[in-house]
Amino acid sequence: MRILITNDDGVDAPGIAIMADIAAALSDDVWIVAPDGNQSGAGHRFTLGRELVLENRGPRRFAVVGGSPADCVVAGMTHVLADHPADLVLSGINAGQNLGDIVHCSGTAAGAREGALQGAVGIAMSQAIDYERSHAVDWSNSIRFGTDVVQAILAAKGRDDVFYNVNFPVCSPREVAGIAAVPHQRFSRSAFRYYPSDRDGEFFVAIPETPMPLDPNADFEVLRRRNTITVTPFALQQTEKVALERLAKLSLSPSGQS
């Protein structure tokens, strides 16, 4: 099995080193193509209309200067590994959880999504942080369970047209209750808000709090309340079939007629 690793925290981030160890337990054919710096929140952005640089950082290790995770997967699958594209794309391990609607802007999730769109199995992995106590990352659960989680997904994946989003809880490994396949939390509204800066005329975008209410059986609460590793499959085909059937009844009158 050929494995391609990317992330959105940068090629030198500690999480990608842990992901490399996870991959090494699965295969001896592991490659890394990741951004040269932090690309958190980049989503599935492609760098179009501007040239990028692919830097060789060592054996089977490359950095894309200024590139997004999606750029990295494209470079890895269609250039670096063009002779034999990866069977598995692992994205992460992200420093911080990627849950609920926040996944839509996640560069970590985008790396796995682009891997799946390129024909591989795509798995995004994130280690949760208890931001109310500290911004420090305890990687213990990612290290202890990462390889087992990937193997479990590969064993159960079937032929689904999906990619997978994994989150590891904040607790000691002995407190982990298990692994669960769960839906992602649809928030009642977007979690992102405008915040004015101390500098006049400037602002930033941030997440002030988790929108309520939360589904006790969705990823956000299962991870946080049950100390459970969450796995959420996301469909690549995003067409909403019920709405599609409803819109099939649309009609358009000729211009100027009621």
Side-chain angles (χ1 to χ4, degrees):
M1 179 169 58
R2 176 166 275 192
I3 301 175
L4 174 64
I5 296 173
T6 194
N7 73 349
D8 73 355
D9 289 331
V11 69
D12 297 316
I16 206 168
I18 297 170
M19 187 71 96
D21 289 339
I22 291 169
L26 300 167
S27 173
D28 60 3
D29 192 3
V30 178
W31 299 73
I32 294 176
V33 182
D36 68 320
N38 194 301
Q39 289 284 328
S40 296
H44 211 115
R45 173 181 61 79
F46 286 112
T47 306
L48 304 176
R50 177 170 62 83
E51 295 177 340
L52 296 170
V53 175
L54 185 67
E55 289 186 348
N56 191 326
R57 295 288 186 92
R60 300 182 179 181
R61 184 182 182 89
F62 298 85
V64 177
V65 179
S68 69
D71 292 327
C72 294
V73 174
V74 169
M77 294 290 278
T78 68
H79 174 65
V80 177
L81 305 179
D83 64 320
H84 174 192
D87 308 291
L88 172 64
V89 173
L90 298 176
S91 185
I93 295 171
N94 191 65
Q97 52 268 44
N98 276 301
L99 298 165
D101 287 342
I102 297 168
V103 170
H104 296 306
C105 76
S106 166
T108 304
R113 185 190 297 110
E114 184 58 30
L117 289 167
Q118 291 281 344
V121 177
I123 303 176
M125 306 179 84
S126 301
Q127 174 59 59
I129 298 172
D130 185 350
Y131 290 108
E132 293 182 359
R133 296 184 180 181
S134 170
H135 282 220
V137 186
D138 180 355
W139 301 100
S140 300
N141 289 326
S142 298
I143 294 169
R144 169 63 181 83
F145 299 107
T147 300
D148 293 339
V149 170
V150 174
Q151 289 176 321
I153 291 172
L154 293 177
K157 68 178 182 60
R159 296 180 177 271
D160 299 332
D161 191 24
V162 302
F163 69 98
Y164 303 88
N165 185 50
V166 176
N167 284 275
F168 296 96
V170 179
C171 62
S172 69
R174 67 177 179 275
E175 294 174 312
V176 172
I179 183 172
V182 296
H184 94 280
Q185 174 68 54
R186 261 304 272 125
F187 295 144
S188 57
R189 56 173 173 78
S190 174
F192 294 90
R193 287 291 178 271
Y194 168 106
Y195 278 88
S197 170
D198 292 336
R199 292 183 290 273
D200 187 42
E202 299 183 14
F203 73 96
F204 57 92
V205 173
I207 304 173
E209 60 184 15
T210 304
M212 299 294 180
L214 295 178
D215 181 349
N217 297 311
D219 59 359
F220 211 102
E221 290 289 74
V222 171
L223 180 79
R224 183 171 64 170
R225 303 291 187 187
R226 303 183 195 174
N227 287 345
T228 297
I229 300 166
T230 63
V231 178
T232 301
F234 282 88
L236 298 179
Q237 170 54 269
Q238 297 185 63
T239 305
E240 213 296 308
K241 294 183 179 179
V242 173
L244 187 66
E245 292 176 359
R246 183 173 66 250
L247 292 172
K249 301 175 183 179
L250 288 175
S251 63
L252 187 64
S253 300
S255 178
Q257 297 183 16
S258 60

